[in-house]
Amino acid sequence: DAKTTQPPSMDCAEGRAANLPCNHSTISGNEYVYWYRQIHSQGPQYIIHGLKNNETNEMASLIITEDRKSSTLILPHATLRDTAVYYCIVSHRDNQGGKLIFGQGTELSVKP
Amino acid sequence: DTGVSQNPRHKITKRGQNVTFRCDPISEHNRLYWYRQTLGQGPEFLTYFQNEAQLEKSRLLSDRFSAERPKGSFSTLEIQRTEQGDSAMYLCASSSQPTIAKNIQYFGAGTRLSVL
């Protein structure tokens, strides 16, 4: 599985968009980008995933660059409840059993 | 609430004791995963089941660790002769059969183990 690089921490003002970057320069053509987040004292929660097209759901948007070497998770209107650690994971479609390989993630602090 | 239940939520034990954790996955999910998370780190994969079959074990899973999923429903993770280094959050996740385009895991809240 390709390795990901994320900034260790970011701040965002409440109500503003939070843009969380992820570098995955070694991604291969059949690997997907997944985003999970983990709120304090809870298990990780799936947010969104994509292969090469931009994706949007009720939680967030995922922008993947054309060369697929990086992506950005966008929380359009961050709230205090979005304070969490955000993990960017690259998952090969033939990953043995679908295990998730977590890095250290980005700790997002949403401030009033 | 994701629908994945883990018990107990907290466990304090003395070094050398055995402990067992339970995970009840979402009922229709045939995949069940165990992860371990230490402070400040992301979760690390331990093992997974496809129904009752344990198909992969990480090198992190020493011979003091054993996991079962006897009827393809709930799972247990047992740690024998606990060591202080076993102190961590143990997370369980479940999913339906992953496909090329979709591999979404639903996590429980975890069991926090403290070994004194």
Side-chain angles (χ1 to χ4, degrees):
Chain A
D1 294 293
K3 180 178 171 56
T4 62
T5 304
Q6 299 178 253
S9 64
M10 293 182 65
D11 290 341
C12 178
E14 188 178 19
R16 304 297 295 271
N19 296 279
L20 293 96
C22 179
N23 182 288
H24 31 79
S25 58
T26 61
I27 194 169
S28 62
N30 50 9
E31 291 183 312
Y32 282 73
V33 180
Y34 283 78
W35 284 82
Y36 281 75
R37 74 179 182 184
Q38 188 172 23
I39 295 170
H40 183 62
S41 296
Q42 298 183 21
Q45 174 192 25
Y46 166 80
I47 303 173
I48 198 167
H49 73 285
L51 180 63
K52 55 183 178 181
N53 297 319
N54 298 338
E55 303 286 346
T56 295
N57 64 19
E58 66 278 5
M59 289 184 69
S61 294
L62 174 60
I63 308 297
I64 303 174
T65 58
E66 191 169 346
D67 63 7
R68 303 208 326 119
K69 293 184 176 182
S70 65
S71 61
T72 301
L73 179 75
I74 300 173
L75 308 178
H77 305 287
T79 71
L80 299 178
R81 290 181 297 177
D82 292 321
T83 292
V85 179
Y86 288 77
Y87 296 100
C88 169
I89 300 167
V90 172
S91 182
H92 193 287
R93 68 178 184 180
D94 295 326
N95 182 330
Q96 299 168 10
K99 65 190 175 190
L100 297 173
I101 309 297
F102 291 84
Q104 294 195 317
T106 295
E107 185 165 11
L108 175 68
S109 296
V110 181
K111 300 181 184 299
Chain B
D1 183 4
T2 63
V4 178
S5 176
Q6 292 190 247
N7 289 287
R9 289 295 311 278
H10 304 275
K11 178 71 176 178
I12 300 173
T13 191
K14 293 182 179 179
R15 188 177 54 181
Q17 298 294 304
N18 300 342
V19 294
T20 299
F21 312 138
R22 177 178 170 127
C23 172
D24 287 273
I26 294 171
S27 59
E28 62 267 28
H29 285 176
N30 51 17
R31 289 271 176 108
L32 187 147
Y33 302 81
W34 285 98
Y35 295 83
R36 180 175 71 185
Q37 185 174 27
T38 53
L39 201 61
Q41 303 296 316
E44 297 172 292
F45 169 77
L46 291 178
T47 188
Y48 89 93
F49 292 83
Q50 170 78 20
N51 299 313
E52 66 274 11
Q54 188 174 17
L55 296 185
E56 185 178 353
K57 293 192 288 187
S58 162
R59 288 175 296 175
L60 294 174
L61 212 65
S62 76
D63 55 8
R64 295 185 298 106
F65 287 70
S66 62
E68 295 183 340
R69 194 182 183 197
K71 297 183 179 179
S73 57
F74 73 92
S75 176
T76 58
L77 177 67
E78 181 183 16
I79 308 174
Q80 296 183 326
R81 306 180 304 280
T82 53
E83 302 172 356
Q84 288 184 326
D86 297 331
S87 295
M89 175 75 83
Y90 290 85
L91 293 160
C92 173
S94 71
S95 72
S96 56
Q97 186 75 25
T99 65
I100 291 172
K102 191 172 183 180
N103 174 17
I104 298 170
Q105 297 185 18
Y106 297 84
F107 284 80
T111 294
R112 181 168 296 284
L113 173 67
S114 298
V115 181
L116 305 178

